[in-house]
Amino acid sequence: MVHSAYDSFQLLHNSAAKIDAVESYGHNLLLSCSDGSLRIYCPESSAGDPRSPPPSSDFYLQYPELKKEPYVLERTINGFSRKPMLAMEVLKSRELLLSLSESIAFHRLPSFETLAVITKAKGANACSWDERRGFLCFARQKRVCIFRHDGGRGFVEVKEFGVPDVVKSMSWCGENICLGIRREYVILNSTTGALSEVFPSGRIAPPLVVSLPSGELLLGKDNIGVFVDQNGKLLQEGRICWSEAPAAVVVEKPYAVGLLPRHVEIRSLRDPYPLIQTVVLRNVRRILQSTHVIVVALESSVYGFFPVPIGAQIVQLTASGNFEEALALCKLLPPEDSNLRAAKEQSIHIRYAHYLFENGNYEEAMEHFLASQVEINYVLSLYPSIVLPKSSVVPDPEQYMDVGGDAPVLSRGSSGLSDDLESSLPLHALDSEERTDLESRKMSHNTLMALIKFLQRKRFVIVEKAAAEGTEEAVSDAVGHNFVSYGNSRPRKMGKARANVSISSVARDTASILDTALLQALLLTGQTSAALELLRGLNYCDLRIGEEFLQEKNQHACLLELYKCNAMHHEALKLLHNLVEDSNSDNPSAELSQKFKPEMIIDYLKPLCGTDPMLVLEFSMLVLESCPSQTIELFLSGNIPADLVNSYLKQHAPNMQTTYLELMLAMNESSVSGNLQNEMVQIYLSEVLDWYKDLNSQQKWDERTFSPTRKKLLSALEGISGYNPEVLLKRLPPDALYEERAILLGKMNQHELALSIYVHKLNVPELALSYCDRIYESGPQHSGKSYGNIYLILLQIYLNPQRTTKNFEKRITSLTSTRSPAIHKVGPGAVKNKGRLSKKIAEIEGAEETRINQSGTDSGKSDGDTDDANEEGTCTIMLDKVLDLLGQRWDRINGAQALRLLPRETKLKNLLPFLGPLLRKSSEGYRNFSVIKSLRESENLQVKEGLYSQRKNSVKISGDSMCSLCNKKIGTSVFAVYPNGKTLVHFVCFKDSQNMKTVGKASRSPFQLR
């Protein structure tokens, strides 16, 4: 026997007649005896005068349960039945007594007056009553009849069906009837009479059909009870295995009571349906389920099984280690004791968890710790090796002890309920070896894995509360309220790192304990990836404990994440740099679990560009040389101010300054300021000048030699516009770097000087022609005067090479001497010199235009003849270059001006490549303009024709024509017509309605017809 679920008490002994059937009505017992009498017994304490009239039905409603005391005979009704009583049942909702003997009879309670007798039930051997619908079914031989109570004194027959064999047991199951016949169980449809087989019955014991409170059925198959639903389908709850085949079974949750040949067996209705209690009683004839009492009738005595209080059963089960049964019984406690039930469940869960934990069932133990809603500190106390932060709220372990002693109503005695549960849960005193072994077991892999699952399931709610509390505090601080949600005071410290915030709240304190313990448990079980995921999300790990633990375990990646989540970026970057240096060393430390690369520093710095650019610049210098492109890409993608990066690179890494500026320009030239563009060109020029001096000192300088830096300089001078060309021009040597000088002069609009350098210094006419093309194409619609004359300037240089060569040195000297030699110093003198230079440039450009205009006059001489007499005979005109230029760019050169510049001896056949396409273009243009003129004239004629046709419109006036204003006939009066050609009005009416909008807003003034 596991525990006592029922107390057996003898209600009646030494009955005068043999008992055939038993029933209860209120607190009375109804016994049908073999002599045909019905004997009514009442509790000894309620016995009165036998001659007094029977009590009313209200009296029995006041005492619905049997009493645990001896019963005495109250009265006897002789001749109640002629044959032995097979069954009796009190129909409480209708105050009737149903009896099955020779036939089925109904008696009114409590007078036992016969209400109705169903004569058709004569010979019936089984019946079943449906309390909800008032339907009665009974079996007679191989027939099943269904009757319905009409609510009065009679019953109406509903259906009658035939069945394959004699019915041994039957019961309603919803709308159907389950029948136990000789060899099998079947479900009978009460509407159609259709039969469906369930399964065969047993070979030893007769069929047994028991209806459960849930509407399901328990079907007996020898010593096995099988659960089926209302349609006869097997359920998966398992099977009750009795020690012998029961003759009858009654169900009183949470137990099933079976009547066996030699004893009464009580089993739990929870899988695996264990044996709870055995009561030895022989020759039991009937078993009855009364209100909370099981009545067992022998031949001459009656016993009552009174349930033991749930609280006492819980104490027994817990003391014997049957925690599952104890928890199941806790759910049966009265609803008004919900607080007590929760406390008892928590206590049982905790005791069960300790029992499982000590027996190695760690995961099951944690499930019960979860169910108990115990604080995590309590569970973590089982793991002494895990270091926890100091808690401001330490739960009292005694609060988790059983509080059942405060509710004596649940126990048999006032002090026996909680004696077993209030025993101390901590471990008994152990010697050192046993304690060491126990602690090692507690820190094993399985125990830690169970702890991890426990903490992870608790974490969501705890962290959510902590986050909500942090949000509440932030909102309170933002609005300036002195709001205190936990305690009377809450000290706060505003710091950069979360670790510097004083944690004094319950939720955040608990979250810190949980995350700190979870981090240690994850790493102790080798789950580094899970630990990293924890640290990367929202967490409340204690910084000091976590830092010491991670350093001890050499978990560098986790330590980096711990620093990062606490905004300790300087410490994290310093550690990461040391790890990178160690990984790249010849003898890396054996403690390194992975190789750390410089790119990790860059990846770490990326999110910090917008919040702490100086920290990014400081630590980016450490990896700039090893990862130059990635580092500069970091500066560019992080939107760090370019001037700040440039100044920092200039101070700490000048060799990388150029690379940074190049990438900035390649990404977006417009985003680079003029100062940075000028600085980049200055850097290029400085490098080129150093390179030039080195080669010049070795007498190896060649103007056609181009180093990579010089190529970059030339490309920068041509491609960007943010630098100051005048400043750069002063830095150039007078006898070298002519191409750079030409580009700078072009930026200053000194086109003649630039072209002279291409032609006479570099001797590369192709560059001069490309220069002219760039100037021409950069002009608005390629038609500006200064842009179109650029080719004429090149023609003059080709035609007067000696003059341009003589003027070149003088004008270059004049340009370079107009500014102070200091390059970077800017003052009043510099401004003055700039004004002089601008004035000089204007004079030069004016002189060029004047010279060109003078050459375009009708003096009868070309420029090639004007000054030739004054020059030495050694001057050679570059006529071939002139002719090539005219042939290649004939469409961009003013033909008349170009012809005036050519010398007289120029042969006409040499000008065919120039004059041929020029004349063809002129003729084509003339023809095109003639066609356009003709088309315009034709269009003009078409418009005039349309105008004339509109003026020829006529209006027909008849005798029925009406004025649209006065609605009178027009007749021979003067009239007006509106532009739509249909609206007619008298002219007088139109004149009177000049200021009225009768016809429409857009109507024009009409014309008059007389």
Side-chain angles (χ1 to χ4, degrees), residues 191-337:
T191 303
T192 63
L195 291 173
S196 58
E197 297 181 359
V198 181
F199 57 80
S201 58
R203 297 181 179 180
I204 302 174
L208 177 63
V209 181
V210 180
S211 178
L212 301 179
S214 60
E216 299 164 349
L217 298 173
L218 177 64
L219 306 182
K221 188 171 184 179
D222 293 336
N223 68 323
I224 298 176
V226 181
F227 292 96
V228 298
D229 62 9
Q230 295 183 355
N231 297 318
K233 294 183 179 181
L234 295 177
L235 301 176
Q236 301 298 324
E237 283 82 359
R239 300 176 180 181
I240 298 180
C241 294
W242 307 94
S243 57
E244 297 181 66
V249 175
V250 295
V251 175
E252 179 74 22
K253 279 195 171 182
Y255 303 114
V257 183
L259 177 58
L260 277 62
R262 291 174 292 182
H263 59 271
V264 176
E265 200 167 274
I266 302 170
R267 289 185 175 270
S268 173
L269 285 176
R270 291 182 65 257
D271 194 20
Y273 310 101
L275 175 64
I276 301 298
Q277 185 180 358
T278 301
V279 181
V280 179
L281 291 174
R282 296 184 181 276
N283 300 321
V284 177
R285 299 178 60 83
R286 291 285 188 270
I287 186 169
L288 165 70
Q289 177 187 358
S290 182
T291 306
H292 304 305
V293 181
I294 305 298
V295 179
V296 179
L298 286 69
E299 289 186 354
S300 60
S301 59
V302 178
Y303 285 83
F305 290 176
F306 292 86
V308 175
I310 298 297
Q313 294 187 52
I314 293 173
V315 172
Q316 295 177 39
L317 290 169
T318 307
S320 60
N322 289 283
F323 301 103
E324 295 286 351
E325 291 292 336
L327 290 171
L329 288 181
C330 286
K331 300 186 183 335
L332 300 178
L333 289 173
E336 58 269 16
D337 296 329

Side-chain angles (χ1 to χ4, degrees), residues 646-659:
N646 181 67
S647 62
Y648 203 90
L649 289 174
K650 188 174 183 180
Q651 181 179 359
H652 297 88
N655 57 328
M656 299 303 299
Q657 187 181 6
T658 306
T659 306

Side-chain angles (χ1 to χ4, degrees), residues 851-869:
R851 183 165 57 255
I852 293 173
N853 292 335
Q854 287 176 354
S855 64
T857 59
D858 298 330
S859 60
K861 295 196 291 184
S862 66
D863 285 351
D865 299 329
T866 53
D867 298 326
D868 286 345

Side-chain angles (χ1 to χ4, degrees), residues 53-116:
S56 64
S57 59
D58 295 337
F59 174 80
Y60 292 98
L61 293 176
Q62 295 176 3
Y63 304 98
E65 298 182 7
L66 297 175
K67 294 184 178 181
K68 192 177 181 180
E69 60 181 88
Y71 273 65
V72 296
L73 181 64
E74 181 179 303
R75 65 177 174 139
T76 302
I77 302 176
N78 294 317
F80 188 77
S81 64
R82 297 181 181 179
K83 292 185 177 182
M85 187 69 67
L86 299 179
M88 285 195 308
E89 183 178 354
V90 171
L91 312 181
K92 297 180 180 179
S93 63
R94 290 169 170 78
E95 291 293 323
L96 297 176
L97 174 63
L98 182 154
S99 62
L100 173 59
S101 179
E102 183 181 6
S103 61
I104 296 179
F106 291 88
H107 305 270
R108 191 179 301 280
L109 295 175
S111 63
F112 296 98
E113 173 191 356
T114 302
L115 179 66

